[in-house]
Amino acid sequence: MTSTSAVFSALAPYGWDEAWDQAFAPYAADGLLPGRVVRVDRGQCDVVTAGGTVRADTEFVVPRDPMKVVCTGDWVAVDPAGDPRYVRAYLPRRTAFVRSTSSERSEGQILAANIDHAVIAVSLAVELDLGRVERFLALAWQSGAQPVVVLSKADLVPDPVTLAHLVQDVETSAPGVPVLPVSALYGDGLDAFVALVGSGTSVLLGQSGAGKSTLANALVGADVMDVQAARDVDGKGRHTTTTRNLLALPSGGVLIDTPGLRGVGLFDAEAGVGQVFSEIEELAESCRFHDCAHEAEPGCAVRSAVENGELPERRLVSYRKLVRENRWIVAKTDARLRSEIKKDWKRKGAQGRAAMEAKRGRWA
């Protein structure tokens, strides 16, 4: 049996602490070993334990709910020996980054568990898509982790004034979020990034070609992740990372690298959307109607802010889009909300018909 001190010594670099140790006590009493999942593929996973990394089968924890499958970043209880070895259970997650699946059913997919920072990599090799940044941020806030935006490939923007404007544009779309321009190629901005992720667990997210694998190699200090050049035509790259991998960083902290994400659908992220668009939520408190849609209602404080230049129109358009999408995802499993949405559609339809009738009356 591995001693408690040996467990702490071996697993502390991966985030093991007193709280995890206490949570694991019942499993330790059953003779099981603690470990952290560093990789999952095809029903099996690699688990780092006090005795080294072991390969284990997840057969005993394969529920119907995809939100409860074993995920990279989980702390698990594994058999002390055997061939094959099995994961018997995982400890309750502190945080989890979840997106919706591409299936017709309203299901979530967990990309990383027990994370402290959700790092969103955005390439400066292509034009900024602030709407996509806001979408990632909504999921990041919803996860319970602290979002961070890294503007990668900053060396491709040599003009400091232009770079400052790009940073400011992202900061406007990311209230309360650190925005760091970084060049992994030349090391610019890496010190600040290393200091930020030097404690706790960080997950690295973004599209293919965003430079995630290059950033991971820079943080680890070795070429642990394959890197391929992005296409010149659109800045996108191939999926150089095909699985989610957990890496202990030499400077401290843990990094989970992920494959490039083509889709980042929301999944029950109302609070996250509200956090991203906190200025709109604050303005909405002054609207005349509590259910104001910020479209054509009288006394709308949000529309007034747009008209007087205090709030960019683009922000309001993006907010509406994410709110509608999130409501639709939640409504798939919430009959009451589906009924409310249908009533809202009927009300707006009636308003539209009434407006058309009024116009016809003026033309007659």
Side-chain angles (χ1 to χ4, degrees), residues 101-141:
T101 64
S102 57
S103 67
E104 292 298 320
R105 300 185 301 273
S106 179
E107 294 179 342
Q109 177 191 22
I110 298 181
L111 300 186
N114 302 311
I115 54 175
D116 300 289
H117 302 100
V119 181
I120 302 159
V122 180
S123 173
L124 291 179
V126 294
E127 185 176 354
L128 280 177
D129 184 344
L130 295 176
R132 177 173 286 273
V133 173
E134 289 160 346
R135 178 180 292 274
F136 268 106
L137 286 171
L139 293 172
W141 280 120

Side-chain angles (χ1 to χ4, degrees), residues 124 128 151 157 161-171 179:
L124 291 179
L128 280 177
L151 300 180
V157 187
V161 175
T162 301
L163 181 60
H165 283 310
L166 291 171
V167 172
Q168 186 176 29
D169 286 344
V170 177
E171 288 176 338
V179 178

